[in-house]
Amino acid sequence: MSDLEAPLRPKRKKVWVDYFVQFRWILVIFVVLPISCTLYFLTYLGDVKSAMKSYKKRQHEHDENVKKVVKRLKDRNPSKDGLVCTARKPWIAVGMRNVDYKRARHFEVDLSEFRNILDIDKERMIAKVEPLVNMGQISRASVPLNVAPAVVAELDDLTVGGLINGYGIEGSSHIYGLFSDTVVAYEIVLADGQVVRATKDNEYKDLFYAIPWSQGTLGLLVSAEIKLISIKEYMKLTYKPVVGNLQELGQAYADSFAPRDGDQDNPEKVPDFVEGMIYTATEGVFMTGRYASKEEAKKKGNVINNVGWWFKPWFYQHAAKALKKGEFTEYIPTREYYHRHTRSLYWEGKLILPFGDQFWFRFLMGWLMPPKVSLLKATQGEAIRNYYHEMHVIQDMLVPLYKVGDGLEWVHREMEVYPIWLCPHRLYKLPYKTMVYPEPGFEHHRRQGDTHYAQMFTDIGVYYSPGPVLRGEVFDGSDAVRKMEQWLIENHSYQPQYAVSELNEKSFWRMFDGELYEKCRRRYKAVGTFMSVYYKSKKGRKTEKEVQEAEQAHLEPAYADVDQPMD
């Protein structure tokens, strides 16, 4: 049994919003799902149409669209027009953070045409794509060629631009790092309309390292070249159940992919994919996967599970079967494995549609799933949105691997959210000290999972209604997030910027390092053109006056003292 106990809280009186949320499934079934399905189909037809064009034609259209962006930026009058932002509607973004920065006066630049795969080069093992290409689109084009991006984020709708400028992770990140670590070149339109190609070894190398986590506040990303890897048709996946307290679960998770002898780069000891799910304070299932050929998967006695079929159990519920039946292994088609959490939006689908996981619903209407997150947000309204901010948690805590047990205990004590998602990722020691960076001197400790060039971190994904809310008790979501952010700062950990944040500016720059970012802001004339990353991430409404005053103050940065740059 766990040696932790969540605190008891008084009962909370229900208000009208509680009942609206409880019966929101009616709106989802009769409005959101049909529209979502139609949009998915239309998007698919657009992808097919784009794929039929020649490389030369796609590249020509891309170049013409870039010229339009350049012209738009050059037409801007800095003394009269507002700060630059994209014309994308606020509710379209997948993240839960309020995109209230667009309430300030702004100068829109339309990037809606940048949604094409420009090239998949199997010789160079590079995919050149535009920023609105999503994960479903790129895996649909690449997997039949037996190649794929080194990191393919689970949800279909996540875009290349969002994963680069924000945060992208997958079960292969313990080998390849975050999605942005797999990019070999960025094509950026700077504030003055100049188009540059930034790589890690050209004259724009500082910009190359500053782009990730910058939220599009250094320039406009118009294409990226992404590293591809060779893959096989199936994923051989092993499910291993573990019972114990949260510290023991954290250690078992580390043992599933990080050899205790430190041989972290040995492919014989390290699986291709890793994922963990903590179902209660005493139970978890850890999954490890290796690519497998069609011939191996179809050998007599092997079990093939097409988890992507609409009527199949949601993946997290299927994995939980290991808690009763014990360890087992099966083969999953690779592309279906990549997007295993799409149909159920991890386990958020259970809150959106309480009966969505039932066989009758999956069989009759499962083909309509999932609802588009953008449509869910568009149909929320201010009261519903505020309710979710207070009564719901969608956060990722990026913590050093050796602190996972501590992080799990903190979540249990302060939020009591289950299931919890665990996914490891490397945080590299780079030539520049970027916004997120390993603990200084990590390479000397030789901790489990670390190498001399990267520290192993873990994403503790906390997505669901907290236990107190489910029991009808008082819960202060804003206070819980503030406590979480303080814990992260104290433990050299990070919070992705897609999430709702309560950080003030000084605390924001205690969590993230702003030195390189601010230098690039000045060098590439982003100050006065693009909103700073803090104000873009900040919770609440932003007025034009507030943002402009903050821009002027950048000559004396507000971020707190942080560790000295690495050698």
Side-chain angles (χ1 to χ4, degrees), residues 512-530:
F512 302 103
D513 189 275
E515 184 175 355
L516 174 65
Y517 172 77
E518 292 293 351
K519 286 181 179 177
C520 287
R521 289 266 295 167
R522 294 186 181 90
R523 179 181 177 185
Y524 298 107
K525 302 179 176 64
V527 176
T529 302
F530 299 104

Side-chain angles (χ1 to χ4, degrees), residues 67 71 91 113 129 142 215 223 226 228 248 280 282 285 315 353-354 378 388 391 403 407 436 440 445 448 513 535 539:
K67 289 179 182 177
K71 183 179 184 305
W91 49 268
E113 296 298 318
V129 299
S142 64
Q215 296 286 319
S223 76
I226 302 167
L228 298 174
E248 291 167 340
T280 70
T282 60
V285 176
F315 183 77
L353 292 169
Y388 280 123
M391 302 296 168
K403 293 185 177 181
V436 296
H445 293 283
Q448 189 174 3
D513 189 275
Y535 275 87
K539 180 181 177 181

Side-chain angles (χ1 to χ4, degrees), residues 60 93 163 243 251 275 441 530:
H60 174 73
L163 296 171
V243 175
Q251 184 59 56
E275 180 179 25
F530 299 104

Side-chain angles (χ1 to χ4, degrees), residues 111 114 131 160-161 164-165 185-189 211 219-224:
L111 300 181
F114 291 88
V160 167
I164 288 172
N165 281 296
Y186 300 109
E187 184 183 11
I188 304 290
V189 181
I211 287 293
L220 298 174
L221 175 69
V222 290
S223 76

Side-chain angles (χ1 to χ4, degrees), residues 236-249:
K236 180 182 179 181
L237 195 65
T238 299
Y239 304 77
K240 183 178 180 180
V242 176
V243 175
N245 62 38
L246 291 172
Q247 289 289 348
E248 291 167 340
L249 293 178

Side-chain angles (χ1 to χ4, degrees), residues 228-470:
L228 298 174
I229 60 171
S230 297
I231 64 171
K232 297 179 181 179
E233 296 88 349
Y234 285 85
M235 185 67 64
K236 180 182 179 181
L237 195 65
T238 299
Y239 304 77
K240 183 178 180 180
V242 176
V243 175
N245 62 38
L246 291 172
Q247 289 289 348
E248 291 167 340
L249 293 178
Q251 184 59 56
Y253 158 74
D255 290 339
S256 70
F257 70 93
R260 293 200 180 194
D261 62 6
D263 199 7
Q264 192 63 44
D265 290 323
N266 188 339
E268 298 298 320
K269 298 180 180 179
V270 179
D272 295 325
F273 275 78
V274 180
E275 180 179 25
M277 284 185 271
I278 308 298
Y279 290 93
T280 70
T282 60
E283 297 175 311
V285 176
F286 305 115
M287 289 144 282
T288 55
R290 291 184 180 275
Y291 287 111
S293 66
K294 183 188 300 183
E295 292 73 23
E296 177 186 343
K298 294 191 174 181
K299 284 182 179 178
K300 185 177 180 180
N302 288 342
V303 176
I304 294 179
N305 184 6
N306 293 90
V307 299
W309 284 96
W310 77 93
F311 55 83
K312 288 280 189 172
W314 290 352
F315 183 77
Y316 82 96
Q317 294 177 328
H318 170 68
K321 293 178 181 177
L323 295 171
K324 293 184 177 180
K325 67 185 292 188
E327 182 175 330
F328 68 96
T329 298
E330 62 185 14
Y331 292 81
I332 300 174
T334 296
R335 185 167 184 268
E336 294 184 29
Y337 175 76
Y338 284 159
H339 303 296
R340 60 199 177 278
H341 292 298
T342 291
R343 280 193 300 128
S344 59
L345 300 175
Y346 289 92
W347 29 87
E348 286 285 306
K350 182 69 173 174
L351 289 175
I352 298 167
L353 292 169
F355 42 77
D357 60 340
Q358 300 298 307
F359 175 77
W360 65 268
F361 180 87
R362 296 199 314 269
F363 187 79
L364 294 175
M365 302 186 69
W367 55 278
L368 289 169
M369 293 288 284
K372 288 185 76 70
V373 174
S374 57
L375 284 177
L376 290 172
K377 292 171 65 178
T379 56
Q380 278 182 355
E382 192 77 17
I384 304 298
R385 184 170 66 172
N386 292 335
Y387 175 90
Y388 280 123
H389 284 178
E390 290 298 324
M391 302 296 168
H392 197 80
V393 178
I394 298 184
Q395 296 281 348
D396 288 271
M397 302 167 60
L398 313 184
V399 307
L401 177 60
Y402 72 95
K403 293 185 177 181
V404 166
D406 296 340
L408 291 174
E409 289 183 339
W410 189 93
V411 172
H412 179 85
R413 186 170 55 248
E414 298 293 340
M415 295 180 173
E416 202 182 346
V417 171
Y418 292 99
I420 295 173
W421 189 60
L422 297 179
C423 186
H425 67 93
R426 277 178 163 159
L427 200 54
Y428 291 97
K429 184 178 181 180
L430 300 170
Y432 290 87
K433 192 176 183 184
T434 55
M435 285 183 68
V436 296
Y437 57 98
E439 292 178 301
F442 75 91
E443 63 272 29
H444 304 304
H445 293 283
R446 300 183 180 275
R447 295 189 182 98
Q448 189 174 3
D450 294 353
T451 62
H452 67 279
Y453 59 86
Q455 185 177 12
M456 194 65 73
F457 271 61
T458 282
D459 182 337
I460 301 178
V462 189
Y463 326 125
Y464 210 62
S465 287
V469 173
L470 295 175

